[in-house]
Amino acid sequence: MKRGRIVGTGMSVPEKVLTNADLEKIVDTTDEWILARTGIRERRIARPDECLSSFAVPASRAALEMAGIPGSEVDVVICATVTPDQPFPATSTRIQDQIGANRAAAFDLAAGCTGFVYALSVAEQFLQTGWAKTILVVGGEVLSKIVDWTDRNTCVLFGDGAGAVVLRSEEAPEGTERGLLGTALRSDGSLASLVELPGGGSRAPHSVATLEGGLNFLKMKGSETFKIAVRSIAEISDEALTRSGLRHQDVTWFIPHQANRRIIDAVGQRLEVPEGHTYVNVDRFGNTSAASIPIGLDELNRAGRIQPGDILLFSAFGAGLTWGAAVVRW
Ligand code: UT7
């Protein structure tokens, strides 16, 4: 069976670092509260003239360079995001143009913080059927542009950046395949109001009233979301491992979506991931939504901490609600 093997990874984040101490000057918060409740110390924030493609394009170039593959060989560009450069055209087409992917299909995918896992699963379908041989999957966000910087409940949580992977289809004998082994995806739109951007779409187009009502800002019901996140990430991780014919103990690296250190720890305990095998960088980047897993993956990969044959588990949860997991043999 054909599998999508990850042959290149890349990431790019804004230069500007916003610390908890900086936030103390903006809203009524403290470094102690943020660190204790979320595990975040600092996050990267885009300049006013930067947008999603400012990070998505360099992340994509880095992944292609590592893979040694020119843009012209890419068959599909998928960009997972809820903060595109503009509502349309899709930011993936801007990436496609700037990396010289001159014969590629390109589209964006909106599944909130689960976007990267959803995009991997979509890529897997293209690769397994033989429709595509090489796919660039990008997860990127510039959440700082939709955050209400007067709302301490949300503005301390999020950060900007992008990560990318190049997937190449490979055929190998059963049991020796490297690449995507299995994915599991879910959604529950009845819980849409837990994490949302209410305005700016056809339901509440931007107007003086929507702006005055703050509908142009991200809204999140944090504690309700927290409880569902822990259970859902644990369950979907189980399902993806079962589909891949693997057990918890087989996981070398658990790379979860980085929303909150307490969610990551609670899920790690439920999954019985051995000590030191869960990757955490929420302290340095905050919650970068669809970018968090590919950024974590690229950091681990470039540090030489992933060996051929290692089993990686990616799990995420976010707006929609959506949740999903993917298992990869490196
Ligand atoms: O990315 C995917 C989707 N998102 C998530 O998965 C995020 C899930 N949720 C969370 O990570 C946590 O719920 C938060 C970090 C958002 C909040 O932590 P919490 O422990 O659930 O706190 P809480 O919302 O229950 O608030 C506790 C208190 C409140 O004060 P009162 O009402 O108890 O007096 C808040 O007003 O903490 C207060 N608070 C703050 N205090 C200082 C909220 N934000 C802040 C702040 N600084 N920045």
Side-chain angles (χ1 to χ4, degrees):
M1 187 157 126
K2 287 194 181 74
R3 303 264 174 198
R5 183 153 84 85
I6 297 176
V7 292
T9 63
M11 66 174 271
S12 170
V13 292
E15 274 172 32
K16 183 178 163 47
V17 175
L18 187 74
T19 64
N20 292 349
D22 296 330
L23 281 163
E24 286 178 353
K25 295 175 200 140
I26 304 174
V27 286
D28 178 17
T29 192
T30 59
D31 175 42
E32 293 73 32
W33 190 95
I34 302 172
L35 196 55
R37 308 307 292 169
T38 71
I40 302 167
R41 290 176 190 277
E42 60 186 40
R43 66 288 290 143
R44 301 300 184 98
I45 300 293
R47 291 190 314 256
D49 63 325
E50 288 175 322
C51 55
L52 175 60
S53 57
S54 312
F55 312 108
V57 169
S60 302
R61 288 196 177 123
L64 285 165
E65 195 182 320
M66 181 187 287
I69 291 173
S72 57
E73 282 185 29
V74 173
D75 300 308
V76 185
V77 178
I78 309 175
C79 181
T81 189
V82 292
T83 46
D85 284 2
Q86 55 194 78
F88 71 89
T91 305
S92 55
T93 58
R94 193 154 294 157
I95 300 168
Q96 169 274 324
D97 177 42
Q98 293 191 32
I99 64 168
N102 49 15
R103 39 176 220 89
F107 60 96
D108 287 1
L109 187 156
C113 302
T114 323
F116 180 74
V117 174
Y118 262 73
L120 282 183
S121 189
V122 171
E124 182 187 29
Q125 316 310 313
F126 279 119
L127 295 168
Q128 281 186 353
T129 59
W131 196 96
K133 185 163 171 47
T134 307
I135 301 187
L136 175 70
V137 174
V138 187
E141 304 288 2
V142 185
L143 292 163
S144 63
K145 305 254 181 156
I146 58 162
V147 158
D148 178 352
W149 289 100
T150 65
D151 175 14
R152 69 174 184 174
N153 289 294
T154 51
C155 76
V156 303
L157 303 173
F158 299 100
D160 303 332
V165 300
V166 179
L167 291 157
R168 191 87 150 171
S169 77
E170 264 187 17
E171 205 143 10
E174 191 75 26
T176 65
E177 303 102 327
R178 294 167 66 190
L180 273 169
L181 300 182
T183 58
L185 306 174
R186 286 282 193 290
S187 63
D188 184 353
S190 72
L191 299 171
S193 66
L194 291 190
V195 192
E196 63 172 336
L197 179 63
S202 54
R203 197 164 169 229
H206 283 316
S207 64
V208 173
T210 60
L211 296 178
E212 281 176 358
L215 302 188
N216 53 324
F217 293 129
L218 180 158
K219 314 276 180 217
M220 184 168 75
K221 299 191 177 93
S223 47
E224 285 107 306
T225 309
F226 188 110
K227 287 173 207 138
I228 305 171
V230 174
R231 194 185 63 236
S232 307
I233 297 175
E235 283 173 5
I236 207 74
S237 300
D238 256 347
E239 188 175 329
L241 283 167
T242 304
R243 283 189 184 199
S244 309
L246 295 168
R247 300 158 308 159
H248 296 180
Q249 303 90 293
D250 297 319
V251 175
T252 325
W253 279 113
F254 174 41
I255 309 180
H257 167 51
Q258 310 280 316
N260 185 319
R261 175 80 209 216
R262 287 155 56 219
I263 297 179
I264 296 171
D265 289 344
V267 174
Q269 275 169 12
R270 285 201 186 200
L271 292 180
E272 296 164 31
V273 178
E275 188 72 23
H277 288 254
T278 298
Y279 194 68
V280 181
N281 62 12
V282 70
D283 51 326
R284 289 178 288 124
F285 298 118
N287 180 349
T288 58
S289 182
S292 73
I293 293 175
I295 286 176
L297 175 64
D298 185 57
E299 287 197 320
L300 266 177
N301 189 24
R302 283 180 196 265
R305 297 174 71 191
I306 315 177
Q307 306 306 322
D310 280 358
I311 299 296
L312 312 185
L313 170 64
F314 308 140
S315 307
F317 177 89
L321 296 178
T322 58
W323 58 106
V327 178
V328 167
R329 184 181 290 117
W330 197 254

